[in-house]
Amino acid sequence: MEPLISSSQEMKRDVKEEEKKKKKKGALGWIEWFRGWMYVIHEMLFQRIMASHLQNPMPLPPVNDLTCIVTGSTSGIGSEIARQLAESGAHVVMAVRNPKAALDLIQKWQNEWSGKGLPLNIEVMELDLLSLDSVARFAEDYNARMGPLHVLINNAGIFSIGEPQKFSKDGYEEHMQVNHLGPALLSVLLLPSLIRGSPSRIINVNSVMHYIGFVDTEDMNLVSRKRKYTSLVGYASSKLAQVMFSSVLHKRLPAESGINVVCVSPGIVHTNVARDLSKFVQAGYRLIPYFIFTPQEGSRSTLFAATDPQVPEYCELLKTDNWPVCAFLSQECRPTNPSEEAHNVETCYKVWEKTLEMVGLPSDVVERLLEGGQVACRYGAESAD
């Protein structure tokens, strides 16, 4: 546990000045914006060197007793996470938009695994994060099993590169809904199952791009035109909102609940996302494959966060120290500080309240669920207070 604890002590020194900056603003200052981009570029250029101590694939501790939900697990790092957890003995629930694609993938994995051990324990449940009704129904169906959930991995996300602004049928900007609102609703509604699985973890696959994000809680849908909309603005804002919401959820969950919240950066992974980025960053992508991670390499930080025994102790240490943000692990599986803006506690609580309002949950939802009560959500099947 020493590496995580020593890293947390170093982080404290980095934010003393940041905590003094709480005044309301309408966008990132140019210094914050510049620092954010420097962090993104630094990670892109040096992530492979910084993560050179990690094995690939990531060796996992015994996980035979774990039940894990992995969203967006039919491609990219999500499929690597689901496959590796299953091959290590976990019961994996693939929560996906396309169940047929997931079933085909499971058959492929089973064939490749044949003769190496017991058949992989994987199942498929349908989940569409572009529909909050689908999210609520998924949680209702899973909770109805009355079984435990040990790890929820909110991996699914979108980055609609270069496309015009789009809104879901629920009326929300698509990046904000898929990357933040949907996972937030899912995490809260699955608390009864996470309590039954305690000690349990909520792992949010975030992004280094949150360092250039800004959340205006009065305009989370990005419709006021105070900022020109681009897919990059939508994506970065949604990822920052996820960190802010996670930090408040982390504080709302008492130590005795045994539920910990962690955000992770997978690093910059080999995907076709460069077209909307600056020419300087696009040039870095042309240096693939040396600088950019493969999906298997990109899955390591999430697998570490989901299974390593040090993580719960580290999360509780942050809670005891009243740290302003939740645990954030870098692509090299080490604690790091999220962005300066993520430390704005006042904005974090505003994001918390606004998010619960947008997904149709009461502000005391966590406390009521921890006490064993029920809550009404305006999405999914109607439930009594």
Side-chain angles (χ1 to χ4, degrees):
M1 189 62 199
E2 183 178 346
L4 293 183
I5 292 177
S6 61
S7 294
S8 70
Q9 292 169 341
E10 292 174 6
M11 290 193 304
K12 291 177 184 179
R13 296 193 294 268
D14 295 337
V15 297
K16 286 184 178 179
E17 291 302 318
E18 297 167 10
E19 291 179 341
K20 299 177 182 178
K21 303 174 184 178
K22 296 292 189 290
K23 62 182 181 180
K24 180 176 175 58
K25 54 186 179 182
L28 287 183
W30 73 268
I31 294 179
E32 296 168 285
W33 180 86
F34 179 78
R35 285 175 179 167
W37 271 112
M38 288 300 98
Y39 194 97
V40 172
I41 294 168
H42 178 271
E43 178 150 325
M44 180 179 66
L45 295 178
F46 298 106
Q47 64 176 8
R48 188 170 293 281
I49 295 173
M50 293 187 294
S52 60
H53 64 285
L54 299 178
Q55 297 182 52
N56 190 47
M58 169 75 73
L60 302 182
V63 294
N64 302 69
D65 297 327
L66 296 187
T67 295
C68 310
I69 293 176
V70 185
T71 69
S73 43
T74 55
S75 64
I77 66 172
S79 65
E80 285 291 334
I81 292 165
R83 180 183 61 80
Q84 291 183 58
L85 285 172
E87 289 181 356
S88 297
H91 170 211
V92 175
V93 179
M94 297 176 69
V96 298
R97 290 183 65 184
N98 187 342
K100 183 182 183 305
L103 291 170
D104 291 344
L105 197 54
I106 291 173
Q107 186 60 56
K108 176 177 178 289
W109 291 343
Q110 294 284 15
N111 293 337
E112 294 172 349
W113 185 251
S114 179
K116 298 180 181 179
L118 294 174
L120 304 180
N121 186 4
I122 316 179
E123 63 173 304
V124 177
M125 292 180 68
E126 186 172 358
L127 172 67
D128 181 2
L129 291 171
L130 276 172
S131 166
L132 294 179
D133 276 327
S134 175
V135 175
R137 286 195 302 269
F138 178 97
E140 290 162 5
D141 291 344
Y142 191 87
N143 287 333
R145 300 180 176 191
M146 300 303 292
L149 173 60
H150 302 100
V151 184
L152 169 62
I153 299 178
N154 288 309
N155 163 75
I158 61 170
F159 192 174
S160 301
I161 298 297
E163 295 186 10
Q165 189 172 22
K166 297 179 182 178
F167 296 89
S168 71
K169 66 179 183 180
D170 300 309
Y172 300 129
E173 195 273 329
E174 287 192 353
H175 289 96
M176 188 61 69
Q177 175 153 336
V178 174
N179 298 340
H180 169 53
L181 297 176
L185 178 61
L186 184 65
S187 298
V188 172
L189 291 182
L190 284 175
L191 284 177
S193 294
L194 288 161
I195 292 168
R196 285 190 287 271
S198 177
S200 53
R201 312 180 192 190
I202 298 171
I203 311 299
N204 294 316
V205 180
N206 202 258
S207 170
V208 67
M209 301 302 290
H210 89 272
Y211 280 87
I212 58 171
F214 178 82
V215 181
D216 183 347
T217 53
E218 297 176 1
D219 184 32
M220 285 178 64
N221 248 4
L222 297 169
V223 294
S224 70
R225 305 305 175 191
K226 289 189 289 185
R227 288 183 291 162
K228 180 182 178 182
Y229 176 83
T230 65
S231 53
L232 180 59
V233 168
Y235 180 77
S237 299
S238 67
K239 288 300 186 179
L240 176 59
Q242 184 181 61
V243 177
M244 290 178 155
F245 184 90
S246 299
S247 294
V248 179
L249 179 58
H250 159 78
K251 294 175 184 176
R252 291 292 181 97
L253 292 169
E256 54 268 24
S257 73
I259 306 172
N260 291 298
V261 184
V262 185
C263 288
V264 301
S265 170
I268 299 177
V269 184
H270 191 179
T271 57
N272 186 28
V273 300
R275 289 169 296 172
D276 200 40
L277 304 180
S278 71
K279 294 185 182 300
F280 185 81
V281 178
Q282 287 186 47
Y285 269 83
R286 298 191 185 99
L287 299 175
I288 296 171
Y290 180 75
F291 290 110
I292 310 301
F293 282 167
T294 65
Q296 187 177 74
E297 291 170 322
S299 70
R300 293 179 298 191
S301 57
T302 302
L303 289 167
F304 176 86
T307 63
D308 193 275
Q310 302 178 90
V311 172
E313 185 179 346
Y314 174 61
C315 291
E316 292 307 318
L317 174 66
L318 296 184
K319 195 171 294 186
T320 301
D321 286 352
N322 199 28
W323 192 244
V325 293
C326 67
F328 195 103
L329 300 181
S330 70
Q331 39 74 27
E332 54 184 310
C333 300
R334 288 173 175 158
T336 190
N337 252 324
S339 70
E340 180 177 329
E341 186 64 19
H343 286 79
N344 191 322
V345 175
E346 180 181 351
T347 303
C348 287
Y349 277 97
K350 287 181 179 179
V351 168
W352 170 266
E353 294 291 343
K354 185 64 176 178
T355 298
L356 294 182
E357 176 189 327
M358 293 170 78
V359 301
L361 291 173
S363 59
D364 62 345
V365 59
V366 171
E367 290 75 15
R368 289 163 66 176
L369 290 176
L370 289 175
E371 292 170 359
Q374 292 184 321
V375 296
C377 175
R378 69 170 176 260
Y379 296 101
E382 292 185 0
S383 58
D385 262 328

